[in-house]
């Protein structure tokens, strides 16, 4: 039987080890797969972010170029307004020939624009009136563009960029059609120096961009900044960017992408139309330059992704190594557990919630004497092994452990070899993330001999306690009987003799004593009377006769009044009538408890006030005694308690009363006795069997 059960347990353990190895291999594969998936997601997201950043960078570059082109257009519009506007005003004056004596002087008076307006001219037929700014000497013969202007059918005309003879600067002729006399076609225009624009746009080198002035016919007049590689009056009408510009709807600013007409490199262009002129202002930048900062950021991002990939795979490798070490340690630990389970005195079991089966070591079957033919043990089989009286505690402990996660440690009687024997069951459950139990592992230890020994010890202690209680009752009974005997002897013996002595003293006084002996007879009478009174008080304390006649309430009131009269204590008391529930021997015990407590206050407390309350409740009687004396420290005085406190404890035990003493050594002592009413009569009956003569 032992070999078969051991084989089953070993088969189960081997299955668990195989499952553990499979789980280890799956865990290592899962780590690599998970790391790869995370990295793929990270690289995909990084590529998407890099692509999005490229789009945003190109859009931002295009917006920059749009701002540049609009700025150039505004600058040229202002220059044309100053020059051509002045020429138009001059043409209007020249039309009235009666007021004009010198046309050139009249036109010169209109030359009030900025320094960039070099000449004003008015063309009527084949005649040209020119007014030059200081230092300029434009003449009809110098105007190589004169015939082109005359032949133009447009309302506004822009000529080619020319070089001025005065200082060699670049200038641009512009003209607009004006009304002439007798239907003759006339033009009013100006020669605008555009070299000044180069100073304004010198900063374009730093931004790796250029601006240009282009006619609507596709002639790039000038490109800024002015460098030798930028040709003037270049035909760009066949370029890709220009064709795309013409194909788009007319709008103030047009954004296009195309190749450079000379280098062929891809470029971004922003084109702004000029109001009233066949010109556009363009700003351009190569896509290579626009993406320069993006490439720097992308290189950093790719480096960061590469670094993260290396770190992730390094961590995955470290985690795999750690997992290998853990599973190796787990297998070794399981092997050590198998060895320990085989040599342990306790049995080891494991319950699986999905199958409901309980796997156990051979030691469990040996302890429970389960036959091999029984096969695997399930919960129902375990339930049948539990004693009927212990089934509820076992199931309750199991339920609280599984549901409330309280520790499972319970003692129960299990059927082993045809007889019930005591065993100790301990277990620990493994829960899943939803709080459901997966399995429970525990141990079972035989403690039948220990439980029997404990029961024997408990019975011996119970017998000892009962003997002590009986001894205490007998001692108290003997004490009360001795009090009664002493009180009777004092009353019948000494009391009678003192009464005879007092009567003799009275007879002596009546017999006519000499004057010298009369005081002695009176002193003898007073002394005998006082002794009789003292003897009566002693006898009363030994055996208060009025306790049986008047009841415990009146006896306590009489005791407290005597204490207040014979001491310096200020006594305050509240006594409720308890004579119907505290009678017979119980009344004597209650009286002695109060008497002992009050005597302790008088002897040891050094108190100024004493408070005594006897309160009747529904199910109990409460005796509450307090003082404002010096008290005592209970821990320090516990080992040397007096006979009075011991007597109080014994009487409370007889009455099944609850005794509570509170004192901290500084603020007096508080004694509280709670006597159950429902048990009082029963204890009184028990006490009557031994105290009928008290």
């Amino acid at each position: 039987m032992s070999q078969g059960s051991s084989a089953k347990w070993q088969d189960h353990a081997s299955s668990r080890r195989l499952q553990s190895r499979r789980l280890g291999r799956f865990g290592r594969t899962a780590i690599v797969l998970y790391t790869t998936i995370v990295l793929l997601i990270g690289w995909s997201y990084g590529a998407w972010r890099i692509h999005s950043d490229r789009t945003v960078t190109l859009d931002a570059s295009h917006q920059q170029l749009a701002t540049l082109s609009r700025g150039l257009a505004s600058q040229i519009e202002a220059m044309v307004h100053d020059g051509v506007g002045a020429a138009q005003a001059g043409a209007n004056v020249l039309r009235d020939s009666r007021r004009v004596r010198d046309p050139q002087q009249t036109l010169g008076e209109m030359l009030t624009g900025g320094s960039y307006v070099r000449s004003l001219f008015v063309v009527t037929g084949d005649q040209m009136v020119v007014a030059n700014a200081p230092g300029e000497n434009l003449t009809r013969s110098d105007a190589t563009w004169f015939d082109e202007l005359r032949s133009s059918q447009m309302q506004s005309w822009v000529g080619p960029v020319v070089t001025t003879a005065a200082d060699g600067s670049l200038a641009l002729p512009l003209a607009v059609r004006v009304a002439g006399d007798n239907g003759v076609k006339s033009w009013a225009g100006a020669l605008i120096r555009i070299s000044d624009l180069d100073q304004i746009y010198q900063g374009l080198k730093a931004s790796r961009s250029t601006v240009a002035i282009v006619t609507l016919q596709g002639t790039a007049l000038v490109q800024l900044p002015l460098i030798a590689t930028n040709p003037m009056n270049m035909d760009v009408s066949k370029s890709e960017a220009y064709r795309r510009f013409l194909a788009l709807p007319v709008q103030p600013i047009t954004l296009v992408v195309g190749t450079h007409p000379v280098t062929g490199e891809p470029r971004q262009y922003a084109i702004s139309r000029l109001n009233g002129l066949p010109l556009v202002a363009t700003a351009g930048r190569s896509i290579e330059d626009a993406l320069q900062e993006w490439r720097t950021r992308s290189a950093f991002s790719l480096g960061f992704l590469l670094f993260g990939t290396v770190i992730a795979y390094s961590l995955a490798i470290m985690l795999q190594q750690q997992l290998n070490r853990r599973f190796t340690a787990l297998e070794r630990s399981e092997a050590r557990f198998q060895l320990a389970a085989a040599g342990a005195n306790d049995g080891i079991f494991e319950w699986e919630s999905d199958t409901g089966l309980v796997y156990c070591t051979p030691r469990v079957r040996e302890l429970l004497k389960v036959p091999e033919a029984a096969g695997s043990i399930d919960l129902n089989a375990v339930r049948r092994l539990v004693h009927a009286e212990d089934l509820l505690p076992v199931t309750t402990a199991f339920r609280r452990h599984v549901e409330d996660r309280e520790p499972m440690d319970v003692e129960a009687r299990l059927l082993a070899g045809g007889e019930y024997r005591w065993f100790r069951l301990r277990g620990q459950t493994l829960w899943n993330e939803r709080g459901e139990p997966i399995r429970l592992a525990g141990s079972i230890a035989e403690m039948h001999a220990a439980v029997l020994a404990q029961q024997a010890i408990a019975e011996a202690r119970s017998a000892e306690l009962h003997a002590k209680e009986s001894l205490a009752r007998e001692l108290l009974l003997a004490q009360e009987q001795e009090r009664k005997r002493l009180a009777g002897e004092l009353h019948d013996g000494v009391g009678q003799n003192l009464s005879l002595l007092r009567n003799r003293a009275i007879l002596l006084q009546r017999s006519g004593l000499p004057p010298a002996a009369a005081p002695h007879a009176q002193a003898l009478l007073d002394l005998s009377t006082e002794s009789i009174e003292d003897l009566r008080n002693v006898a009363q304390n030994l055996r208060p006769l009025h306790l049986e006649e008047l009841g415990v309430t009146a006896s306590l009131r009489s005791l407290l009044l005597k204490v207040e009269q014979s001491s310096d204590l200020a006594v305050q008391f509240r006594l409720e009538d308890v004579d119907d529930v505290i009678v017979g021997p119980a009344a004597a015990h209650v009286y002695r408890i109060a008497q002992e407590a009050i005597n302790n206050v008088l002897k040891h407390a050094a108190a100024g006030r004493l408070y005594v309350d006897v309160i009747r409740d529904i199910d109990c009687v409460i005796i509450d005694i307090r003082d404002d004396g010096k008290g005592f420290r209970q821990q320090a005085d516990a080992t040397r308690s007096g006979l009075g406190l011991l007597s109080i404890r014994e009487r409370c035990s007889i009455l099944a009363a609850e005794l509570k003493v509170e004192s901290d050594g500084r603020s007096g002592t508080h004694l509280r006795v709670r006597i159950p009413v429902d048990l009082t009569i029963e204890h009184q009956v028990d006490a009557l069997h031994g105290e009928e003569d008290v």
Side-chain angles (χ1 to χ4, degrees):
M1 178 184 67
S2 176
Q3 293 178 353
S5 130
S6 175
K8 282 194 173 183
W9 175 260
Q10 290 175 359
D11 291 342
H12 175 64
S14 300
S15 175
R16 293 292 300 275
R17 284 196 295 271
L18 180 60
Q19 183 181 1
S20 175
R21 293 192 186 98
R22 291 176 179 174
L23 182 61
R25 288 194 295 269
F26 174 76
R28 291 189 290 270
T29 305
I31 290 173
V32 176
L33 183 61
Y34 177 77
T35 304
T36 303
I37 292 175
V38 170
L39 289 176
L40 286 176
I41 294 174
W43 276 93
S44 301
Y45 178 75
W48 175 77
R49 290 293 301 173
I50 290 173
H51 177 72
S52 300
D53 187 34
R54 184 180 186 276
T55 303
V56 171
T57 301
L58 290 176
D59 291 343
S61 175
H62 241 151
Q63 293 301 321
Q64 265 190 345
L65 295 176
T67 302
L68 286 174
S69 65
R70 184 64 257 171
L72 177 62
S74 300
Q75 186 72 24
I76 296 174
E77 287 174 354
M79 296 169 66
V80 170
H81 180 270
D82 289 344
V84 178
Q88 285 179 308
N92 293 332
V93 174
L94 292 178
R95 237 188 356 256
D96 189 0
S97 58
R98 294 173 299 178
R99 295 188 302 167
V100 178
R101 297 180 180 179
D102 187 354
Q104 186 174 1
Q105 180 181 358
T106 301
L107 188 60
E109 293 176 354
M110 303 298 176
L111 191 60
T112 59
S115 60
Y116 43 82
V117 181
R118 305 309 300 163
S119 302
L120 298 180
F121 58 86
V122 176
V123 176
T124 304
D126 58 355
Q127 301 295 321
M128 180 177 179
V129 180
V130 181
N132 294 313
E136 195 65 51
N137 54 1
L138 177 66
T139 62
R140 167 69 176 75
S141 60
D142 296 331
T144 57
W145 37 265
F146 182 77
D147 294 336
E148 181 183 346
L149 173 63
R150 289 183 61 197
S151 62
S152 176
Q153 301 299 320
M154 306 293 292
Q155 292 296 322
S156 58
W157 172 84
V158 178
V161 176
V162 298
T163 304
T164 61
D167 54 4
S169 60
L170 300 179
L172 181 66
L174 303 99
V176 296
R177 188 183 297 276
V178 294
D181 294 336
N182 301 321
V184 179
K185 181 170 59 175
S186 299
W187 293 90
L191 188 65
I192 306 298
R193 186 170 66 187
I194 60 176
S195 298
D196 295 342
L197 294 174
D198 188 56
Q199 298 178 355
I200 299 175
Y201 291 96
Q202 281 296 324
L204 295 177
K205 294 180 180 179
S207 63
R208 298 180 294 277
S209 58
T210 60
V211 294
I213 303 174
V214 184
T215 65
L216 290 178
Q217 290 76 25
T219 301
L221 300 176
V222 65
Q223 193 174 156
L224 302 176
L226 295 173
I227 54 178
T229 57
N230 292 336
M232 294 181 295
N233 302 318
M234 182 177 62
D235 185 15
V236 296
S237 60
K238 296 181 180 179
S239 66
E240 180 185 5
Y242 185 75
R243 290 197 305 270
R244 290 182 178 179
F245 165 70
L246 293 179
L248 294 174
V250 177
Q251 50 189 342
I253 299 179
T254 304
L255 303 178
V256 296
V257 177
T259 58
H260 194 278
V262 178
T263 63
E265 64 177 353
R267 293 179 67 86
Q268 292 178 314
Y269 292 98
I271 305 173
S272 297
R273 295 177 180 270
L274 274 70
N275 295 326
L277 292 174
L279 293 175
V280 293
T282 67
R285 179 186 290 127
S286 69
I287 293 179
E288 182 76 17
D289 292 336
L291 295 177
Q292 185 172 354
E293 294 183 358
W294 170 81
R295 287 190 177 87
T296 302
R297 294 194 300 270
S298 299
F300 176 79
S301 299
L302 291 174
F304 182 78
L305 285 174
L306 182 60
F307 176 76
T309 301
V310 174
I311 294 298
Y313 272 115
S314 299
L315 291 176
I317 294 173
M318 293 173 60
L319 186 58
Q320 277 189 327
Q321 294 175 350
Q322 182 69 16
L323 190 62
N324 289 334
R325 288 193 293 268
R326 290 289 179 89
F327 275 103
T328 302
L330 180 61
E331 291 179 354
R332 293 177 179 175
S333 176
E334 188 171 356
R336 289 193 297 268
F337 169 75
Q338 296 299 328
L339 183 60
N345 189 41
D346 294 350
I348 307 298
F349 64 89
E350 180 182 4
W351 167 73
E352 292 184 348
S353 62
D354 53 349
T355 62
L357 296 178
V358 179
Y359 298 95
C360 54
T361 60
R363 178 59 178 164
V364 175
R365 294 182 178 273
E366 293 176 5
L367 292 174
L368 298 179
K369 297 179 176 58
V370 179
E372 183 64 26
S376 300
I377 304 176
D378 57 15
L379 284 182
N380 292 327
V382 174
R383 189 187 301 271
R384 289 192 294 269
L385 295 177
V386 181
H387 192 279
E389 296 179 358
D390 300 331
L391 183 59
L392 180 59
V394 171
T395 55
T396 302
F398 178 78
R399 186 179 65 255
R400 288 181 178 177
H401 174 66
V402 173
E403 297 178 358
D404 303 333
R405 304 195 178 189
E406 296 182 2
M408 180 180 173
D409 191 347
V410 61
E411 297 176 0
R413 286 164 291 181
L414 303 180
L415 185 62
E419 63 174 343
Y420 285 99
R421 301 180 66 84
W422 283 97
F423 293 90
R424 184 178 184 182
L425 303 174
R426 287 181 290 185
Q428 178 60 50
T429 299
L430 177 63
W431 294 271
N432 58 18
E433 62 276 3
R434 296 185 300 273
E436 300 172 348
I438 301 176
R439 61 172 52 92
L440 182 146
S443 65
I444 176 173
E446 185 177 9
M447 52 181 307
H448 189 71
V451 171
L452 294 181
Q454 290 179 356
Q455 291 177 351
I457 293 173
E459 292 175 359
R461 288 179 178 176
S462 177
E464 181 182 3
L465 180 61
H466 182 71
K468 287 183 178 180
E469 292 180 354
S470 299
L471 178 61
R473 292 186 181 186
E474 292 178 1
L475 289 176
L476 290 176
L477 173 60
Q479 183 184 32
E480 291 298 331
Q481 290 176 345
E482 185 64 19
R483 287 172 181 262
K484 179 180 178 182
R485 186 185 65 79
L486 289 176
E489 290 183 358
L490 289 176
H491 180 270
D492 297 337
V494 180
Q496 293 296 331
N497 293 334
L498 289 175
S499 297
L500 292 175
L501 182 60
R502 181 177 179 277
N503 292 332
R504 293 281 185 156
I506 294 173
L507 292 176
L508 285 175
Q509 285 182 337
R510 293 178 179 177
S511 63
L513 293 175
H520 297 287
Q522 184 61 40
L524 182 61
L525 177 62
D526 295 338
L527 181 59
S528 60
T529 302
E530 184 178 353
S531 298
I532 292 173
E533 185 64 28
D534 292 339
L535 182 62
R536 185 179 294 112
N537 291 334
V538 171
Q540 181 66 24
N541 289 332
L542 289 174
R543 183 64 176 177
L545 298 177
H546 56 276
L547 181 63
E548 300 175 356
E549 300 172 357
L550 302 179
V552 67
T553 305
S555 299
L556 290 176
R557 182 178 290 105
S558 175
L559 175 63
L560 292 172
L561 291 176
K562 288 182 178 180
V563 169
E564 186 174 24
Q565 294 172 0
S566 60
S567 66
D568 296 332
L569 276 176
V571 181
Q572 296 183 12
F573 56 87
R574 179 166 67 96
L575 306 178
E576 296 183 2
D577 189 4
V578 295
D579 291 343
D580 57 336
V581 292
I582 304 296
V583 296
H589 289 306
V590 170
Y591 182 85
R592 293 303 182 190
I593 289 172
Q595 188 180 42
E596 291 290 352
I598 295 172
N599 286 337
N600 286 339
V601 174
L602 293 172
K603 294 177 181 179
H604 310 293
R609 292 182 177 275
L610 174 64
Y611 306 90
V612 179
D613 296 327
V614 176
I615 303 171
R616 178 171 180 173
D617 207 342
I618 297 176
D619 59 346
C620 66
V621 172
I622 298 174
I623 302 174
D624 194 273
I625 301 175
R626 312 182 303 278
D627 65 76
D628 61 353
K630 60 184 180 180
F632 65 96
R633 290 186 297 178
Q634 298 187 67
Q635 293 181 351
D637 297 342
T639 58
R640 52 187 181 90
S641 299
L643 294 176
L645 190 56
L646 291 176
S647 175
I648 292 176
R649 287 197 177 98
E650 293 297 338
R651 294 181 186 276
C652 289
S653 176
I654 293 174
L655 294 175
E658 178 184 343
L659 173 63
K660 186 176 182 181
V661 181
E662 296 179 352
S663 182
D664 56 4
R666 293 190 303 271
S667 57
T669 302
H670 185 187
L671 182 142
R672 185 180 181 89
V673 179
R674 184 180 182 275
I675 307 171
V677 171
D678 55 341
L679 298 178
T680 300
I681 302 301
E682 179 183 348
H683 279 273
Q684 290 172 5
V685 172
D686 292 341
L688 281 173
H689 293 296
E691 299 190 21
E692 296 178 352
D693 298 330
V694 174

